[in-house]
Amino acid sequence: MTDWITRNVWLVPATPIVAALLILGFGKHARRAATGVAILGQIAALIVSTCAFVPTLHSHEFRAFENFTWFTFGEQSLRIGFVLDPLAAAMMVMITLVGLCIFVFSLGYMADDKNFSRFFAYLSFFSGAMLGVVVANSLLLLFVFWELVGLASYLLIGFWIERPSAAAAAKKAFITTRIGDMGFFLGILWLYHQSGTLLFYDGGHGCLENVALLGASSTFIALLIFCGAAGKSGQFPLHVWLPDAMEGPTPVSALIHAATMVAAGVFLVARVYPIFSAGAVNGVTSSLIVVVWIGVVTGLMAALIAVAQSDIKRILAYSTVSQLGLMMVSLGVGGVAAGIMHLLAHGFFKALLFLGAGSVIHGLHHEQDIRKMGGLRKLMPVTFATYAVGMLALSGVPFFFSGGWTKEEVLHATSHWPSSHVPYFLLLLGVVLTALYMTRQVMYVFFGSSRAGSDHHAHESPSVMTVPLIILALCAIGLSIFLTPAWPWLESYLLGHEAHIDAHLLLQPMILVSLVLVGAGIGLGFWLYRRAGEVDPLQQKVPAVYRFLENKMWIDEIYEHTILALAAFASRVSDWMDRYIWDGLVRVIGGIGQIFGALTKGADEGVINAGVDETTVGARGVGRAMSRLHSGQIQIYLGVIALGMLALFLFYAWLT
Amino acid sequence: MIATLQIFLIISAALFSIGLLAALSRRHAIFILIGIEMMLAAANLNFIAFWQFSPVRAPQPVGVMFVIFTIAIAAAEAAVGLAMVIAVYRHFRTTNVDQLTRLKG
Amino acid sequence: MNSVAFAVIAIFTLVFAVAAATNPRLMHAALSFAVMFVGIAAFFFLLGAEFVGLVQIFVYVGAVAVLIVFTILLTRRDAEERHGFKWGGVVVAIGVFVGLVWAILKTNSLPTLPYLVKAVTVKEIGTTLMTQDVWPLMCVGVLLTAALIGALVLVMEDEP
């Protein structure tokens, strides 16, 4: 069994992809079959990944890979493969479990959509592609699945293609991530040039096992690969697509921001971490420094922007960007396990928050502006309770919520970074801001009294939507058992150590610091927004700052006026060149052709045509005469053939 | 009467002529097909007769092979021909070949 | 070889052939056509080609005759009319017959051995089809497929 699963780990991504193809084959009207196949496929993937999870528990430093030759060209052959190690196994279980909850939730959320079955096909495809990223043992194979994830996200963000904003958001997501992927691809090529293989692990010959051979180029390769990761995970210069991706249906947002797409970038950095840390002095390399600073800038900037957003999903989107920055910092300072733990925990509670937001949006008939909500605590009790769990986990309240422990780990790792202490303090500020904007959101949505009368028809969502919420909430709380410093099971599992129980570690001075910070954030939120009306209190007090943040620091506008303007200018220059220089040349050449044409035309008409015309007239006369022979009577034709035969007989008789 | 090759050939010649008669004299399009089938049958009979009477026996049953392929082709021809009759009838509302003279030059 | 049997089969075949060619009633002519093929199959049996005889019965009596009957039924309105008879065709046909007989009788090199019935086995035919004649077999397969599709396309209604 163990042997079989390590050899057939490809089954995990294959199952949802096959399900997706089946659903597309069923056609548009097979709604029941579509959901059945999609959910069955996801359950099967969950079971297989759990089976794959089991052998990784037994031994430390477990790593099984299965490589095979894809194709051969000349002397060289390109090999790809699949790998199973704790990192992949943990990710697989998280993705399939969260995915399953989202699938079930979509049953309720998308029930009225006319392209219901297509939605499930895309969803399955998305989850399969992401699982492929996780189990790939070759950078090339990973890249293939990576692009499939990009394609699936394009299809899903633009699922409501009839809305122009959705189509634009899908394009933006696709193109922005493509910019990063170009760097990623260059990195792959460079890596292949240097190491001659793209397999991660190959019994001592893989590219991750021989990073010392890369030498100085490892920094550049790592940075190029990081471009791709930054694009997918919405890091600072390329984060603009992520909030716009909220145009997709809410379950899609949950899938993109929790389990799949954005996780891919962080996962990629964790997977190729040996390249990043090659030649590290004291755990610091120049590529890791870049990762840390990009992460810090992203985390802080997104947290600030989130404070001033009014769309319930956009707030969550910016919080995702900010948390991803946090994970990147953690990876950069050397806390790989902490970063991945935060990624896993974040997967659960962010999916919970998005699905909760979906439930709210569903209950309020597609109202997304938090300023028009309020007082939903009593009307949607289940949604409120689960949302509160997600909010506390995201804010990082210690002891009971998984997010608290993992955030603690990240901060702990950052505080020991030898290079600089600035990231640590900036992250602490980020923690306060996170608690603040989450409190603001919850205050607006669930507390106070209703604004704009939108709650008159508000209702709790059906159980098909609330049960996944409850499951995810239980996961968000229950996961913390494995995360406490007293028994850091998950960390040891990821690092391949033995987990020890040490109750003294439960209380550390660090935890008090974060307790104070989170308390301050939440308290500030309560105090600021206790009587919040249509106008945001921050907007009243510091309107300039609020406006700056509300418009996302004008980053989109900056892009529009710099990069896009440059592109437009280049296009105008090319257009002008085309119109006047190249076109002029073409016109001159064309003119010469025309003169020649006129000359030959005269020769043609006077000399050649006259002769040809005469011949044609003659041929037509003959043809007309011959066509008289054709009576159209088929039997006469046959009779003539028979008479011809008779004539042959007579000729033969005359001969003999 | 001894069944010699000549007798077989004369019978097949008669069959051929009767087929030709059907194809030439009848105005219904189906009869042209019937006549052609008869002529093909006459040819088959010739193949078999020549094969059976030939002084040298080839290792393979060549004549039989010919007939098998002819039958297959004749069957295909009959299917297409009859389909054409139906199509023509649908279009012109007649199967009288005298009236089907659209190819008149 | 029984001369009587041969004579009976020959007369039987020719009579039904003439009936098929000249009977003014279409349906009767088509049925005569089918019976005539039974006669030809009997010739094949007589000449030691049992397999071909059976194929002849299957294909012509079984399939082609039925096709013809169906076609007649489908073009029913036209079937009963007095299409008449063209005597010119008779003249040509008799001319061709005379020419053929003259040529047959004139040929001296025809083998006149009284034939020995040596039946050909199905196994032999199968072996030949799969070895020496495999390419013609393939071509005939393609041809039959094309004919089938073509026939379907021809009789398909233009507008659904």
Side-chain angles (χ1 to χ4, degrees), chain A residues 574-608:
Chain A
S574 314
D575 182 54
W576 185 85
M577 298 266 282
D578 220 27
R579 228 176 256 274
Y580 297 101
I581 298 181
W582 307 127
D583 203 40
L585 268 176
V586 171
R587 264 166 211 273
V588 169
I589 295 168
I592 295 169
Q594 271 181 347
I595 293 167
F596 266 107
L599 286 175
T600 45
K601 188 181 164 201
D604 226 23
E605 275 177 355
V607 185
I608 299 169

Side-chain angles (χ1 to χ4, degrees), chain A residues 191 193-197 204-218 221 278-279:
Chain A
L191 180 64
H193 177 71
Q194 289 288 332
S195 70
T197 177
H205 305 289
C207 63
L208 296 187
E209 291 160 319
N210 296 309
V211 283
L213 295 179
L214 298 176
S217 59
S218 74
I221 295 171

Side-chain angles (χ1 to χ4, degrees), chain C residues 25-37:
Chain C
R25 303 187 62 174
L26 268 175
M27 199 57 91
H28 291 191
L31 293 176
S32 309
F33 173 77
V35 177
M36 179 205 79
F37 272 105

Side-chain angles (χ1 to χ4, degrees), chain A residues 3 44 95 160 230 240 280 296 382 409 415 470 514 576 595 613 626:
Chain A
D3 213 33
I95 292 168
W160 286 323
V240 287
V296 168
V382 180
E409 288 288 333
S415 68
I470 295 168
S514 59
W576 185 85
I595 293 167
D613 279 350
M626 295 295 275

Side-chain angles (χ1 to χ4, degrees), chain A residues 253-515:
Chain A
S253 313
L255 203 53
I256 290 180
H257 289 101
T260 57
M261 188 151 167
V262 297
V266 178
F267 173 81
L268 174 65
V269 175
R271 175 59 92 201
V272 299
Y273 199 73
I275 298 178
F276 279 84
S277 62
V281 183
N282 211 359
V284 177
T285 63
S286 22
S287 47
L288 286 178
I289 291 174
V290 173
V291 173
V292 169
W293 283 106
I294 294 273
V296 168
V297 170
T298 312
L300 201 60
M301 184 193 70
L304 279 169
I305 294 176
V307 174
Q309 294 298 309
S310 57
D311 184 319
I312 184 168
K313 281 169 74 182
R314 265 175 196 271
I315 297 173
L316 293 176
Y318 277 107
S319 90
T320 303
V321 175
S322 141
Q323 296 302 308
L324 289 167
L326 197 69
M327 294 171 209
M328 284 297 184
V329 173
S330 174
L331 293 176
V333 298
V336 184
I340 293 299
M341 274 153 58
H342 196 54
L343 178 64
L344 293 169
H346 177 259
F348 285 108
F349 63 69
K350 189 47 73 67
L352 167 63
L353 285 171
F354 266 110
L355 293 186
S359 175
V360 168
I361 294 167
H362 189 73
L364 293 178
H365 305 278
H366 295 272
E367 177 58 63
Q368 300 199 1
D369 193 335
I370 57 167
R371 287 170 301 192
K372 296 195 177 131
M373 300 173 184
L376 292 177
R377 186 178 34 153
K378 297 192 187 68
L379 292 163
M380 307 176 86
V382 180
T383 306
F384 168 66
T386 50
Y387 203 89
V389 170
M391 169 255 176
L392 293 173
L394 175 57
S395 308
V397 175
F399 297 119
F400 300 110
F401 302 100
S402 51
W405 293 116
T406 53
K407 203 172 269 190
E408 199 59 47
E409 288 288 333
V410 173
L411 291 174
H412 188 73
T414 318
S415 68
H416 292 298
W417 197 38
S419 179
S420 163
H421 279 297
V422 181
Y424 175 60
F425 293 113
L426 291 178
L427 283 195
L428 291 182
L429 180 58
V431 170
V432 179
L433 284 169
T434 310
L436 173 65
Y437 66 69
M438 284 315 290
T439 313
R440 167 176 178 266
Q441 191 188 34
V442 169
M443 293 295 284
Y444 260 118
V445 176
F446 292 103
F447 286 91
S449 58
S450 159
R451 283 166 288 267
S454 61
D455 72 329
H456 289 308
H457 34 256
H459 55 84
E460 181 59 280
S461 302
S463 55
V464 70
M465 290 163 74
T466 50
V467 169
L469 288 177
I470 295 168
I471 293 173
L472 285 171
L474 290 179
C475 289
I477 298 174
L479 197 59
S480 55
I481 298 170
F482 304 107
L483 297 171
T484 56
W487 187 53
W489 178 83
L490 188 59
E491 185 176 9
S492 320
Y493 167 70
L494 287 170
L495 293 175
H497 299 155
E498 191 81 46
H500 298 291
I501 298 181
D502 187 356
H504 294 296
L505 291 171
L506 200 57
L507 275 175
Q508 288 174 313
M510 280 287 285
I511 235 162
L512 292 177
V513 172
S514 59
L515 199 59

